[in-house]
Amino acid sequence: MQSWRLTSFLFKAAPHIRQISCCSSSLVAKGFIARRSVIMSTESGIGVAPADEKSTGPLGPDGKPLSKNALKKLEKEKEKEKKKAEREAKQAAEAGTKDAEDYAKDRYAILPMAQSQEKTSRVWTKVKDLTVECVGKRVLVRARLHTTRGTGKQCFMIFRDRQYTVQGICAVNDTVSKGMVKFASGINRESILDVEGEVKLAAQKVQSCSQEDVEIFVDKVFVVSLAEPRLPLQIEDASRPETDEEQAHVNQDTRLDNRIIDLRTVPNQAIFSVQAGVCNLFREFLTSQGFAEIHTPKIISAASEGGANVFEVTYFKGKAYLAQSPQLYKQMVLCADFDRVFTIGSVFRAEDSNTHRHLTEFIGLDIEMTFNEHYHEVIDMIGRTFVHIFKGLRDRYGEDIAKVQKQYKSEPFKFLEPSLVLTYSEGVDMLREAGIEMNYDEDLSTPNEKLLGKLVKQKYDTDFFILDKYPLCVRPFYTMPDPHNPEWSNSYDMFMRGEEVLSGAQRVHDPALLIERAKLHEIDLEKIKAYIDSFRFGAPPHGGGGIGLERVVMLYLDLHNVRKSSMFPRDPKRVTP
C-alpha cells in the first residue's frame, strides 16, 4: 500500500524532480526512499517532505500539498524564467555583435582633458577659410557646436568659430556607423569639437551659415570640451533683431549676468571687432603724425579733474585716488619735451549716473600735443583723427558693421572732411531758433545735445561735428581762458549723433595762472604741487582731449546703450562679472 502511494506521488511530481523510474519496486531496490529527500524548490518556497515523513506531493508555504492548478502555475513560472534567461542571453550576444560591428568606434569620443600631452604636425583650418576653393579637400576644424539635428541615419550640425559658421553632415556610410551618428546627435550645444571630413559643394546655399556655399561631410568628431546641457541663455535668442517683436529676446541684465555666453553671439563678436578697429585706427593715425604712445599712472594723489567724483582708495597708511583722466600726466610729459603723445587706458569716474551713456570705468583714448600759434592746430589734428577712424571703419570693417546691423538696425554714419566746427554761441543760437530757452553761459544738457545733433544733421548732413569756445565757468580749472572774452574759454567738445564723445581744451601752462584757477575751483594746492611745479621750468603751449572708446563705438553703430559696447561694463549697480 505504501509503495503504491509513493509511486502515485512520484508520477504527479515528476516535472519537479529529476526524472526517475515510476516503478516503486525499483525505487525500493535502490534504496531511494530510504536515502534521499525530495528536492526543494527554493524559488517558489515549495517542497516535499523527506521520504520517511507522510506526504503525497510538493508542499506549499503552508506545509500542505499543492493542488493541480498550483502545479500548473509553477510550471508556467518556470517556463517564463527560462524564456527570460534565453532572451537576456540573446540580447547580450547581440550587444557583443553590435560592438564588434561598430567599425567607426575609433572615429568619435570625448577626449581626455587637454594637458598639452603631445605635439603633432596636423594642419588646422579656420571656419572663415572654408570656401569653394576647399571643395574636395579634407580639413581638420576646431569649433563650437552651434546647433545639431539628428534624423535617424544622419545628423546635421552647425559649427561656429567666432563670427563664422559652416554646416556639417554626419551620415551613415562605410566609415560612419550608426553609433557615431547617435553620438554626434547627442553632443551638447556650445561644446568645443575637433571635426574632420571632406569639404563639398552645398547642393543649395546654406543661408543659416556664413559659409553658404560649402559643407563638411564629417567622418571624425571628437569632443575637446563638453558644455553643460542647460545654457543660461540661448545664442539664437541673444542674436535676434531688436525689431523682431514676435520672437523671444534676452534682457540686458540676463546678458550681462551671463556675459561669457552673450559675447559668443555673432553681433557681439562684430561689435568688439569694430571696437578693436577704433583703437587700431586711432593708434595708426597718430603714430603716422609723430605721436608717441605713453602709459600714465591710474593711482594718483589728487583728483585729476578737480571735482569730487573720484574713487578714494587706501594707499598703505594714507589715501589715494583712481585717475579720472590721464590729463595731468599728459601735460607733464609735454613739459619733458615729448611734443606729441597719446595713451589708451582705463579711466574712473565715481558718478552715480545710471544712464545709457555713463560708466564708472571706461577706456579713454587721450591726445595731447604742443602747438605753435593757436589751439585750433589741436582741434584740426583731433578732427582729422576722427575722420581717419570713420573712413577706416567704413572701408575696412564693413563686414562687421553689416553683422551688427542685422540685430541693431541703424543708418550709415555720416561725416564731413574736414570736420564741421561751430562755436558754442552758434550752437545755442540754433537751439534758441528751435524754441529752446537757454543762456550762453549754460552747459548743454543731454536733451539739448541730442536736439542740437538733429539740427546739425538736418542743416549740414553730418553725424559728427565740433563745438568750440565753451563758457569758462563750465570747464575744469586747467582750461585756458579766451584772450578776447574772459567768460569764454579755449575749449571744445566733439559730438557723434548728438552726443558728446570728446572734451578738450588748450591747457593753462603758466604756473601763476594755474594757481589762480585752482584756488577758484577750491583745489588743495599741496595735492597738485608736483603738477604745478612741472610748469616752472619752461612749458610749451599745448592742448588735447579725451575720447570715450565705448561711447564712440555705441554711437557709430547706433547701439543706444554703452553697455553693449563695453565688454564687462561697470556702473553704479554692477561690478560683476
Side-chain angles (χ1 to χ4, degrees), residues 36-52:
R36 302 291 299 268
S37 296
V38 179
I39 297 172
M40 306 296 291
S41 176
T42 58
E43 292 182 1
S44 62
I46 301 170
V48 296
D52 57 348

mmCIF file of all heavy atoms in Angstrom, residues 36-52:
data_model
loop_
_atom_site.group_PDB
_atom_site.id
_atom_site.type_symbol
_atom_site.label_atom_id
_atom_site.label_comp_id
_atom_site.label_asym_id
_atom_site.label_seq_id
_atom_site.Cartn_x
_atom_site.Cartn_y
_atom_site.Cartn_z
ATOM 1 N N ARG A 36 17.207 9.370 0.240
ATOM 2 C CA ARG A 36 17.087 10.691 -0.386
ATOM 3 C C ARG A 36 15.875 11.436 0.130
ATOM 4 O O ARG A 36 14.876 10.835 0.490
ATOM 5 C CB ARG A 36 16.942 10.548 -1.918
ATOM 6 C CG ARG A 36 18.090 9.822 -2.580
ATOM 7 C CD ARG A 36 19.389 10.645 -2.539
ATOM 8 N NE ARG A 36 19.194 11.892 -3.239
ATOM 9 C CZ ARG A 36 19.466 12.028 -4.546
ATOM 10 N NH1 ARG A 36 19.913 11.017 -5.252
ATOM 11 N NH2 ARG A 36 19.292 13.190 -5.121
ATOM 12 N N SER A 37 15.973 12.747 0.152
ATOM 13 C CA SER A 37 14.821 13.622 0.381
ATOM 14 C C SER A 37 14.417 14.229 -0.947
ATOM 15 O O SER A 37 15.238 14.399 -1.856
ATOM 16 C CB SER A 37 15.177 14.764 1.356
ATOM 17 O OG SER A 37 15.496 14.229 2.621
ATOM 18 N N VAL A 38 13.204 14.562 -1.085
ATOM 19 C CA VAL A 38 12.719 15.159 -2.330
ATOM 20 C C VAL A 38 13.309 16.563 -2.481
ATOM 21 O O VAL A 38 13.437 17.300 -1.508
ATOM 22 C CB VAL A 38 11.173 15.219 -2.330
ATOM 23 C CG1 VAL A 38 10.670 15.846 -3.608
ATOM 24 C CG2 VAL A 38 10.607 13.826 -2.162
ATOM 25 N N ILE A 39 13.673 16.928 -3.693
ATOM 26 C CA ILE A 39 14.303 18.229 -3.983
ATOM 27 C C ILE A 39 13.380 19.363 -3.598
ATOM 28 O O ILE A 39 12.182 19.315 -3.855
ATOM 29 C CB ILE A 39 14.651 18.312 -5.472
ATOM 30 C CG1 ILE A 39 15.688 17.241 -5.819
ATOM 31 C CG2 ILE A 39 15.149 19.693 -5.821
ATOM 32 C CD1 ILE A 39 15.954 17.121 -7.299
ATOM 33 N N MET A 40 13.983 20.394 -2.978
ATOM 34 C CA MET A 40 13.215 21.580 -2.592
ATOM 35 C C MET A 40 13.290 22.624 -3.703
ATOM 36 O O MET A 40 14.335 22.819 -4.312
ATOM 37 C CB MET A 40 13.772 22.179 -1.295
ATOM 38 C CG MET A 40 13.876 21.183 -0.135
ATOM 39 S SD MET A 40 12.277 20.562 0.382
ATOM 40 C CE MET A 40 11.594 22.035 1.107
ATOM 41 N N SER A 41 12.199 23.297 -3.923
ATOM 42 C CA SER A 41 12.183 24.409 -4.885
ATOM 43 C C SER A 41 12.348 25.705 -4.122
ATOM 44 O O SER A 41 11.411 26.191 -3.510
ATOM 45 C CB SER A 41 10.863 24.423 -5.666
ATOM 46 O OG SER A 41 10.822 25.530 -6.521
ATOM 47 N N THR A 42 13.571 26.295 -4.151
ATOM 48 C CA THR A 42 13.852 27.496 -3.351
ATOM 49 C C THR A 42 13.187 28.724 -3.926
ATOM 50 O O THR A 42 12.922 29.687 -3.223
ATOM 51 C CB THR A 42 15.358 27.729 -3.273
ATOM 52 O OG1 THR A 42 15.879 27.854 -4.594
ATOM 53 C CG2 THR A 42 16.055 26.595 -2.562
ATOM 54 N N GLU A 43 12.936 28.706 -5.231
ATOM 55 C CA GLU A 43 12.353 29.907 -5.832
ATOM 56 C C GLU A 43 10.895 30.074 -5.429
ATOM 57 O O GLU A 43 10.415 31.174 -5.226
ATOM 58 C CB GLU A 43 12.457 29.835 -7.352
ATOM 59 C CG GLU A 43 13.902 29.927 -7.841
ATOM 60 C CD GLU A 43 13.962 29.902 -9.344
ATOM 61 O OE1 GLU A 43 12.888 29.828 -9.973
ATOM 62 O OE2 GLU A 43 15.063 29.984 -9.894
ATOM 63 N N SER A 44 10.177 28.959 -5.341
ATOM 64 C CA SER A 44 8.745 29.055 -5.064
ATOM 65 C C SER A 44 8.398 28.810 -3.611
ATOM 66 O O SER A 44 7.273 29.048 -3.195
ATOM 67 C CB SER A 44 7.980 28.043 -5.929
ATOM 68 O OG SER A 44 8.398 26.740 -5.593
ATOM 69 N N GLY A 45 9.359 28.319 -2.851
ATOM 70 C CA GLY A 45 9.079 28.000 -1.457
ATOM 71 C C GLY A 45 8.299 26.716 -1.314
ATOM 72 O O GLY A 45 7.702 26.434 -0.293
ATOM 73 N N ILE A 46 8.301 25.932 -2.405
ATOM 74 C CA ILE A 46 7.521 24.686 -2.394
ATOM 75 C C ILE A 46 8.468 23.524 -2.203
ATOM 76 O O ILE A 46 9.561 23.499 -2.747
ATOM 77 C CB ILE A 46 6.756 24.518 -3.718
ATOM 78 C CG1 ILE A 46 5.827 25.723 -3.924
ATOM 79 C CG2 ILE A 46 5.988 23.212 -3.763
ATOM 80 C CD1 ILE A 46 5.241 25.760 -5.284
ATOM 81 N N GLY A 47 8.059 22.564 -1.453
ATOM 82 C CA GLY A 47 8.945 21.416 -1.239
ATOM 83 C C GLY A 47 8.149 20.172 -0.896
ATOM 84 O O GLY A 47 6.934 20.192 -0.827
ATOM 85 N N VAL A 48 8.873 19.126 -0.703
ATOM 86 C CA VAL A 48 8.245 17.884 -0.274
ATOM 87 C C VAL A 48 8.949 17.397 0.960
ATOM 88 O O VAL A 48 10.108 17.772 1.215
ATOM 89 C CB VAL A 48 8.307 16.815 -1.386
ATOM 90 C CG1 VAL A 48 7.511 17.258 -2.589
ATOM 91 C CG2 VAL A 48 9.742 16.513 -1.764
ATOM 92 N N ALA A 49 8.275 16.629 1.707
ATOM 93 C CA ALA A 49 8.845 16.120 2.957
ATOM 94 C C ALA A 49 9.826 14.998 2.677
ATOM 95 O O ALA A 49 9.770 14.362 1.621
ATOM 96 C CB ALA A 49 7.713 15.616 3.857
ATOM 97 N N PRO A 50 10.752 14.720 3.596
ATOM 98 C CA PRO A 50 11.631 13.562 3.444
ATOM 99 C C PRO A 50 10.798 12.311 3.294
ATOM 100 O O PRO A 50 9.641 12.248 3.706
ATOM 101 C CB PRO A 50 12.449 13.575 4.742
ATOM 102 C CG PRO A 50 12.405 14.998 5.187
ATOM 103 C CD PRO A 50 11.059 15.496 4.792
ATOM 104 N N ALA A 51 11.426 11.270 2.762
ATOM 105 C CA ALA A 51 10.676 10.051 2.428
ATOM 106 C C ALA A 51 10.108 9.358 3.640
ATOM 107 O O ALA A 51 9.112 8.660 3.536
ATOM 108 C CB ALA A 51 11.581 9.073 1.659
ATOM 109 N N ASP A 52 10.723 9.578 4.774
ATOM 110 C CA ASP A 52 10.228 8.883 5.929
ATOM 111 C C ASP A 52 9.060 9.586 6.587
ATOM 112 O O ASP A 52 8.524 9.129 7.573
ATOM 113 C CB ASP A 52 11.347 8.668 6.951
ATOM 114 C CG ASP A 52 11.970 9.970 7.356
ATOM 115 O OD1 ASP A 52 11.684 10.996 6.684
ATOM 116 O OD2 ASP A 52 12.764 9.987 8.330
#
